[in-house]
Amino acid sequence: FTGKPKFCFKNDNRPRVVFISAENEYGAAGTLPEFAHELQIKYGLYCEILQGSTEKTGREIHELAGLEALTNADLAVLFMRRRSLAPEQMQHFRDYLDRGGALIGLRTASHALDTRGSAPEGYAEWPKFDPEVLGGNYHNHYGSGPKCTVTMAAGAAGHPILAGVKLPLTSNGSLYRVRPLADSTKQLLVGTIPDKEPEPVAWTNTFKQSRIFYTSLGHPDDFQNEPFRQMLINAVFWSMNKPLPNMN
């Protein structure tokens, strides 16, 4: 499975997941198709990938077509970093959330639509997407190097997204600075590195009628980590308000 399916049958009633991939630091162009393939083969979902440029600079990094696929989507999975969108593409994204579409944000999704002033003229941004939609407060990250130890947040025991997730887990990704979160969020996981205060690394939120899950995990090594993958599969079904699949 790679890229966008060429067609789907009219009576294909599988839940539809649209992956929006546009970043240049964490290999989402490789990890997301593999994860989407697992969702299709093992869990019977219909997955579509919208892949933007993986270059670091240039006008083409802001070109991402196909967001009209969200019109019939049950879930959007966003792994994007500092991009703007053509106005009609941004409108598809906003319309999706306005109608209550579910969303999962991975790592750089916290600064997905904030170019810090580098958007081409006439392109649309959403600088406050993180606090408004994700309930986050991204303000940079700690340096790379120390492994991050991830444990359950207080009061998160029994949450469906953590079902079967073996903790603690470790991540090689740098720990994001995100405190404090919005009051509307529910913290699920916290991350710790030596001599620093813990930071939330996974939480849920509600935007209008949309179920939102965000995690600052998403380093390529995280996708090889079984607890992370289990959490992400759980989050897919939780976000769509569907029962978790039988993992046995």
Side-chain angles (χ1 to χ4, degrees):
F1 171 84
T2 56
K4 181 178 179 181
K6 295 181 180 178
F7 68 92
C8 66
F9 292 106
K10 182 177 180 180
N11 295 325
D12 187 343
N13 295 317
R14 290 176 294 172
R16 300 172 66 85
V17 183
V18 175
F19 288 82
I20 306 168
S21 174
E23 62 85 38
N24 59 278
E25 290 193 340
Y26 297 108
T31 56
L32 291 187
E34 193 272 337
F35 181 68
H37 180 73
E38 180 179 2
L39 292 180
Q40 289 204 148
I41 299 302
K42 291 186 178 180
Y43 303 104
L45 305 184
Y46 178 95
C47 296
E48 186 169 340
I49 295 179
L50 306 179
Q51 179 62 58
S53 172
T54 58
E55 296 298 317
K56 292 184 177 181
T57 59
R59 186 185 180 93
E60 71 267 24
I61 73 170
H62 303 285
E63 301 296 337
L64 180 64
L67 285 172
E68 61 270 16
L70 294 173
T71 302
N72 298 313
D74 296 288
L75 171 64
V77 180
L78 182 68
F79 202 153
M80 180 184 286
R81 181 180 183 274
R82 299 207 184 280
R83 304 301 205 251
S84 61
L85 295 172
E88 66 273 14
Q89 297 298 318
M90 179 67 84
Q91 194 59 52
H92 285 308
F93 187 56
R94 284 184 173 271
D95 288 347
Y96 172 76
L97 291 170
D98 285 344
R99 72 166 173 84
L103 178 73
I104 289 176
L106 298 174
R107 199 149 175 85
T108 56
S110 59
H111 41 293
L113 296 164
D114 181 6
T115 73
R116 295 185 296 192
S118 65
E121 184 177 356
Y123 276 57
E125 298 185 69
W126 194 346
K128 294 185 178 180
F129 172 77
D130 183 27
E132 290 180 358
V133 178
L134 303 180
N137 181 33
Y138 174 78
H139 48 279
N140 217 316
H141 56 82
Y142 292 103
S144 60
K147 289 183 180 294
C148 175
T149 301
V150 178
T151 58
M152 186 180 300
H159 196 284
I161 290 178
L162 298 182
V165 178
K166 296 181 180 178
L167 298 169
L169 64 86
T170 58
S171 175
N172 291 323
S174 56
L175 181 63
Y176 277 14
R177 301 172 185 254
V178 297
R179 292 179 295 131
L181 301 181
D183 291 342
S184 56
T185 60
K186 169 69 175 177
Q187 290 190 42
L188 300 180
L189 297 178
V190 295
T192 306
I193 58 175
D195 303 319
K196 303 296 181 183
E197 289 293 318
E199 294 281 350
V201 298
W203 61 85
T204 64
N205 194 37
T206 302
F207 175 73
K208 298 183 178 179
Q209 299 301 313
S210 296
R211 280 190 168 206
I212 309 294
F213 170 75
Y214 171 80
T215 178
S216 60
L217 301 174
H219 188 280
D221 291 346
D222 293 333
F223 279 89
Q224 303 303 314
N225 191 325
E226 188 58 36
F228 171 78
R229 293 177 74 92
Q230 181 68 71
M231 178 180 70
L232 204 51
I233 291 166
N234 292 345
V236 165
F237 286 88
W238 176 88
S239 299
M240 296 189 293
N241 200 18
K242 295 183 180 296
L244 269 57
N246 188 337
M247 302 298 180
N248 295 329

